[in-house]
């Protein structure tokens, strides 16, 4: 069947966006992966599928598939592309919408100046919710359970990285590094993503603190590899940095693909993510 799509990105994190509001689209993980493949398909970090909501009070539902075909709970940069997409396609005339995702409801808002802010909901900080298997580590952490030792085996030797675990609906393991440009993202990102202590795998963040209101960030994403920006990764890094006493809200997050801004008032409060969303081209593909 022929499938219309829109290619978009948020700070270089790129997406295939599909309007399935008229009729749901069901593909296998292998078919989603093929669409996202950068050689055999269109190519994207994630695929966003816009559907009718199933929850009262929501305007839309949207499903998120990683480059590897896995369906996931949340996508911060995708939420901004989403609100631009439904506005440009005339699927809504609202500037603030409520969107049902696999794990909760988010509220993206198109501002008068064209920028987009997303209420990403409150972070989950209980390791069991991330999920992170902290058994055997109970009680071991700096401060208030803000960091955990993670033994990572590289090339026959083992080293311990100290991570903070945060869920934005999707799981994140964030570590502080001196310089993101020299951080071992390619080497240890996949090892952390597939670490046995993360039963659902995990996104691995590498955060450099520039000053209390500014970080540089690289993220090896679960199911996609390193991306040029990760919205939920930026949220998780700022939450982890504030909890560790390293940052003060709001925080400017410099990713390789662009700038994001995060605000968080503390535990139990929502995280607000602001940043760009760009439409690149429209297309049609045979699936
Ligand atoms: N790879 C992520 C999903 C996409 C998140 C990212 N692109 C964002 O902007 O938040 C995961 O498996 O949880």
């Amino acid at each position: 069947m022929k499938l219309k799509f829109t290619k978009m990105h948020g700070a270089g994190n790129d997406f295939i966006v599909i309007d399935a509001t008229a009729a749901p689209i069901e593909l296998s993980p292998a078919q989603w992966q093929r669409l996202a493949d950068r050689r055999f398909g269109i190519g994207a970090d994630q695929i966003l599928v816009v559907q009718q909501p199933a929850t009262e009070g929501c305007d839309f539902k949207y499903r998120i598939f990683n480059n590897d075909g896995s369906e996931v709970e949340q996508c911060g940069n995708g939420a901004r592309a989403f609100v631009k997409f439904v506005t440009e396609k005339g699927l809504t005339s609202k500037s603030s919408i409520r969107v049902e995702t696999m794990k909760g409801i988010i509220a993206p808002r198109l501002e008068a100046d064209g920028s987009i802010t997303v209420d990403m909901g409150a972070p989950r900080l209980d390791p069991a919710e991330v999920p992170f298997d902290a058994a055997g580590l109970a009680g071991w952490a700096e401060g208030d359970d803000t960091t955990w030792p993670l033994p990572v085996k590289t090339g026959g030797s083992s080293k311990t990285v100290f991570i903070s675990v945060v869920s934005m609906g999707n799981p994140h393991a964030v570590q502080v590094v001196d310089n993101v440009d020299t951080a071992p993202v390619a080497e240890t990102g996949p090892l952390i993503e597939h670490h046995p202590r993360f039963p659902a795998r995990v996104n691995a963040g590498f955060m450099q603190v520039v000053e209390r209101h500014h970080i540089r960030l690289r993220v090896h994403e679960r199911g996609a590899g390193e991306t040029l920006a990760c919205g939920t990764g930026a949220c998780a890094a700022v939450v982890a940095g504030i909890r560790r006493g390293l940052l003060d809200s709001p925080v400017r997050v410099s990713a390789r693909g662009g700038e994001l801004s995060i605000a968080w008032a503390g535990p139990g409060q929502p995280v607000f993510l602001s940043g760009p969303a760009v439409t690149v081209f429209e297309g049609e593909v045979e699936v």
Side-chain angles (χ1 to χ4, degrees):
M1 83 181 163
K2 284 218 176 293
L3 198 56
K4 290 186 185 302
F5 67 89
T6 301
K7 190 73 187 345
M8 303 183 78
H9 75 83
N13 181 194
D14 67 334
F15 309 108
I16 295 162
V17 190
I18 296 166
D19 176 2
T21 54
I25 292 170
E26 285 302 333
L27 299 180
S28 68
Q31 286 176 303
W32 290 123
Q33 193 288 322
R34 188 84 175 193
L35 272 182
D37 191 285
R38 295 199 184 280
R39 289 177 177 77
F40 295 103
I42 304 160
D45 295 325
Q46 279 87 34
I47 299 173
L48 312 178
V49 182
V50 181
Q51 294 182 320
Q52 295 294 344
T55 304
E56 189 67 31
C58 284
D59 301 290
F60 296 97
K61 171 178 180 179
Y62 95 124
R63 298 175 71 185
I64 304 153
F65 298 89
N66 276 325
N67 177 272
D68 70 356
S70 59
E71 183 168 6
V72 290
E73 309 90 342
Q74 199 60 275
C75 183
N77 290 325
R80 299 195 314 276
F82 174 94
V83 73
K84 184 176 177 70
F85 177 83
V86 295
T87 304
E88 288 180 346
K89 294 293 181 188
L91 295 173
T92 182
S93 56
K94 294 182 179 179
S95 56
S96 184
I97 54 178
R98 289 174 59 78
V99 188
E100 179 188 340
T101 65
M102 188 200 271
K103 243 200 186 160
I105 293 170
I106 55 171
R109 189 177 63 245
L110 189 56
E111 308 291 357
D113 65 1
S115 66
I116 298 168
T117 298
V118 190
D119 172 345
M120 294 296 294
R124 287 75 150 184
L125 301 169
D126 176 342
E129 281 195 275
V130 172
F132 169 60
D133 176 7
L137 297 174
W140 191 103
E142 290 171 4
D144 53 353
D145 283 4
T146 59
T147 55
W148 305 84
L150 197 71
V152 172
K153 289 185 175 48
T154 47
S157 67
S158 176
K159 67 175 181 177
T160 296
V161 291
F162 293 89
I163 52 152
S164 296
V165 292
V166 179
S167 170
M168 291 305 299
N170 61 340
H172 291 270
V174 186
Q175 60 184 283
V176 176
V177 295
D178 294 333
N179 181 338
V180 289
D181 295 327
T182 57
V185 177
E187 179 199 6
T188 57
L191 299 173
I192 296 171
E193 175 191 359
H194 296 279
H195 198 284
R197 285 198 181 276
F198 290 98
R201 296 189 290 165
V202 73
N203 300 282
F206 300 76
M207 159 170 70
Q208 173 187 343
V209 178
V210 178
E211 49 91 7
R212 295 187 66 85
H213 289 280
H214 181 202
I215 63 171
R216 299 178 67 212
L217 180 69
R218 291 173 67 185
V219 180
H220 169 91
E221 286 199 28
R222 176 179 64 170
E226 183 176 4
T227 56
L228 293 180
C230 178
T232 50
C235 295
V238 168
V239 166
I242 289 173
R243 292 189 77 221
R244 294 177 63 169
L246 304 172
L247 301 174
D248 297 311
S249 180
V251 177
R252 176 179 152 219
V253 178
S254 298
R256 291 189 144 182
E259 300 283 315
L260 302 174
S261 177
I262 307 291
W264 184 51
Q269 297 301 311
V271 183
F272 291 92
L273 160 66
S274 302
V278 175
T279 298
V280 182
F281 66 88
E282 308 280 348
E284 192 172 68
V285 67
E286 190 70 34
V287 287

